[in-house]
Structures are given as structure tokens and as C-alpha cells.
Amino acid sequence: MSGRQKALLAVLAVALVALFVIAVGTGSGDRGDPDARGGVVGWLGRLGGDRSAVDPATVTGDCSRSGDGFAFTGDCVLTIEDPGGLRTLLLRSPATFGVHAPAPGDADVTVEDEVEPFPGAGAVARIAVDKRTAVRLTCPGLGSCTVTVAPS
């Protein structure tokens, strides 16, 4: 390795350490806000393309529907029509609910999560959808759940 290559490698290492220290120093120790999209991550998201959500009118379910909301006890299967590209299914609820959804693309993977409410924001689930998809929602315990399909 030549002297120039060593010097360039040293400068790169110092730059990476400096960026790490800046990132750690400017971070906050709280849980954050799931709806906040600021800073570098928000800028990269806007630069990367459209963050369009699934149209609530294209979502049907085997449970009771009122407007864009679905009420159920136990479980409910939502069917999302083909959105014509990669979109985000945005689900909101004031209470905890479970989500079982296939990964987009040709992956043979099912993603499962129990979505818990965030103080002041409720429970929010974001699911990537790129074709006609069935998403199963579950309501923990013996009560009933209401989940709303949000346009953004």
C-alpha cells in the first residue's frame, strides 16, 4: 500500500468517526414519534420517491366496515386490491392490534407484529403492498378492535 493510499484511508477513517460522533451527539434519548419524518431520513425519503399510501376505497374486509374503519372481535382479513406499484397500507387504531402480512415481491415470508399504541398517536402499522394482498388483523384479548385505513 502506497503512502497516498494510507493517507486517504486515514482521512476516511477520521471522517467516519466524526460522522458517528455527530450522529450520536445530536440524537435524543426518547422513543421518538412514529409519525415524525424530519431530518436526513425525511429528506432521503422525499429524494427517493413517492410515499403514496393505499387508497382506502380499494380495501375490503370480512368484518364490519364503517367509512374507512373496520371493527372486529378476534380477527379480520383485509383484502387490498392491486395498487399498481409499491404502496404503503397505513393502519391506525387507538388500541393494540396484531398484523400478519406477506412481504412484498416474490418473497415467501409472512411478517407478524403486535402494534402497540404510542402516547398521543395511537397504534400505527405501515405495511408495504405491491399486488393484491390479504392482511390478517387480530384483536388481543376478549374485546373488540377498530382499525382505520388511513390515506396518509
Side-chain angles (χ1 to χ4, degrees), residues 2-81:
S2 73
R4 281 186 176 171
Q5 289 174 330
K6 288 180 184 178
L8 182 61
L9 189 59
V11 168
L12 180 62
V14 169
L16 285 174
V17 169
L19 287 173
F20 176 76
V21 169
I22 291 170
V24 170
T26 61
S28 61
D30 62 355
R31 287 182 57 189
D33 181 0
D35 291 325
R37 296 286 184 208
V40 175
V41 173
W43 177 77
L44 287 172
R46 287 188 300 276
L47 181 68
D50 191 10
R51 294 186 303 170
S52 62
V54 169
D55 180 7
T58 65
V59 180
T60 58
D62 64 356
C63 48
S64 176
R65 181 175 187 157
S66 176
D68 292 337
F70 293 88
F72 58 96
T73 302
D75 66 348
C76 173
V77 176
L78 299 181
T79 303
I80 299 88
E81 294 301 321

Side-chain angles (χ1 to χ4, degrees), residues 85-87 101-111 127-131 133:
L86 186 61
R87 301 285 183 262
D106 295 331
D108 189 22
V109 175
T110 299
V111 179
I127 302 154
V129 177
D130 65 347
K131 59 184 175 270
T133 304

